[in-house]
Amino acid sequence: MTRTVYVNGDYLPETEAKVSIFDRGFLMADGVYEVTSVLGGKLIDFDGHAVRLSRSLNELDMKNPISKEDLLEVHRELVRLNEIDEGLVYLQITRGSDGDRDFVFPADDTEPTIVLFTQNKPGLADSPAAKKGAKVISIEDIRWGRRDIKTVQLLYPSMGKMMAKKAGCDDAWMVEDGFVTEGTSNNAYIVKGNRIITRHLGNEILHGITRAAVLRFAREAQMEVEERSFTIEEAQAADEAFTTSASAFVMPVVEIDGVSLGDGTPGRVALRLREIYLDEMRKAAV
Ligand code: PMP
């Protein structure tokens, strides 16, 4: 089945979809994105992603080419056309192109580019990786200073994943001034007893949509939540650790820089939060 994608108002076979070579997303990473997961053919936390998208666009003075209602419609139509039961919808909006390369932003009447496509991922929720847990390495965080904006500047996170792969691990946690910021594509947590510790919000990390939901569920389940920085050494001495993201939900972490956490298997708290998250979000899916 040929995948149907969405480009600037049109639904097209992926082989016919086109964007200008002068698009600022392509030339300058001048664009933002969102990834929304699909479970049982429905969108998980669509609202959260739509709100963060507006914020990212605002922070970059970029026009929003589509209303929230229409955006929901496009997501649903792509899920329907591509028969996605479990998978992801990727959305990208860039500042577009006025037909040449220039550091200066194009004229105000330049239309942004909007692209959406689906990724079919059967078995996304029942992932073998979550049963095994992830091994992470630590790397220096050398990204720019506005990581709260979800831009398509993903070269360093991508290099981080490659460094992890080379080291026989699954992912990397980034460290700045001695403290963990976040994973290459997820927020990072440690657990001590009944207390969950994760970095406070700021410009240094992405404000994860999954993070917000998981912390809400944790508090509702009478777990303590502490939003503060932690070091790799503190993480290595913790009872357990995990990450959250829209595409992997709650992912247990079992090893950090070669040091096993607890007995080296996914922790109780992480697995419980994964279960609660999936149950609750399936109920609220649209
Ligand atoms: N941090 C970074 C750097 C990310 O790329 C992501 C995933 N997009 C996250 C955190 C998790 O955010 P969310 O839960 O909204 O997917």
Side-chain angles (χ1 to χ4, degrees):
M1 187 169 123
T2 309
R3 176 161 49 177
T4 301
V5 303
Y6 178 90
V7 184
N8 298 329
D10 296 322
Y11 293 92
L12 300 164
E14 62 180 64
T15 46
E16 288 172 29
K18 289 194 178 75
V19 173
S20 165
I21 63 157
F22 298 112
D23 193 280
R24 289 179 60 94
F26 178 60
L27 294 179
M28 296 183 175
D30 188 358
V32 301
Y33 76 109
E34 284 294 332
V35 179
T36 304
S37 61
V38 178
L39 293 178
K42 290 185 168 179
L43 300 159
I44 300 298
D45 215 340
F46 174 80
D47 257 8
H49 290 285
V51 168
R52 184 172 61 191
L53 174 67
S54 293
R55 180 179 181 277
S56 294
L57 291 167
N58 268 332
E59 292 297 310
L60 296 175
D61 254 332
M62 214 184 279
K63 274 197 288 192
N64 191 342
I66 191 163
S67 70
K68 191 169 142 190
E69 295 71 33
D70 288 348
L71 191 61
L72 175 58
E73 219 23 67
V74 175
H75 275 73
R76 283 182 163 158
E77 186 62 4
L78 283 181
V79 167
R80 192 185 68 78
L81 290 169
N82 294 294
E83 298 174 14
I84 306 294
D85 180 52
E86 293 201 349
L88 306 170
V89 182
Y90 177 89
L91 150 76
Q92 179 168 331
I93 296 176
T94 75
R95 208 181 301 274
S97 138
D98 59 3
D100 204 352
R101 180 176 183 271
D102 193 342
F103 279 80
V104 174
F105 287 178
D108 283 347
D109 59 358
T110 304
E111 284 306 313
T113 301
I114 174 165
V115 169
L116 285 94
F117 57 82
T118 54
Q119 292 182 287
N120 193 24
K121 307 246 178 212
L124 185 66
D126 191 29
S127 130
K131 293 189 178 78
K132 225 171 92 207
K135 294 180 179 179
V136 304
I137 56 165
S138 64
I139 60 173
E140 197 189 341
D141 195 339
I142 57 166
R143 297 172 300 162
W144 80 324
R146 289 303 306 276
R147 302 159 195 158
D148 56 310
I149 308 172
K150 197 165 169 60
T151 74
V152 296
Q153 302 174 58
L154 296 177
L155 180 55
Y156 189 64
S158 178
M159 289 168 72
K161 288 250 200 253
M162 293 311 293
M163 290 183 235
K165 203 172 159 186
K166 238 186 186 163
C169 290
D170 306 292
D171 202 0
W173 279 13
M174 294 178 279
V175 176
E176 185 174 56
D177 299 330
F179 293 99
V180 174
T181 51
E182 56 190 336
T184 58
S185 61
N186 43 56
N187 290 115
Y189 306 73
I190 58 174
V191 181
K192 289 180 164 186
N194 194 37
R195 187 183 313 156
I196 295 162
I197 300 159
T198 192
R199 193 180 175 106
H200 50 281
L201 296 179
N203 293 345
E204 303 77 23
I205 63 167
L206 185 73
H207 302 186
I209 300 307
T210 320
R211 177 188 185 279
V214 165
L215 292 187
R216 189 173 76 242
F217 296 140
R219 288 182 171 114
E220 283 170 12
Q222 314 304 324
M223 297 174 191
E224 279 174 56
V225 174
E226 204 178 330
E227 295 181 62
R228 65 158 172 87
S229 307
F230 58 85
T231 62
I232 287 291
E233 291 69 31
E234 187 179 6
Q236 286 172 324
D239 297 327
E240 36 176 304
F242 62 92
T243 60
T244 64
S245 67
S247 53
F249 316 117
V250 178
M251 178 63 61
V253 168
V254 295
E255 186 185 298
I256 303 171
D257 282 341
V259 175
S260 285
L261 302 190
D263 63 0
T265 62
R268 184 182 52 84
V269 171
L271 291 178
R272 177 83 189 109
L273 283 172
R274 182 179 174 89
E275 192 180 299
I276 299 175
Y277 177 82
L278 286 169
D279 282 354
E280 294 299 322
M281 298 317 271
R282 276 183 201 277
K283 281 189 226 159
V286 294

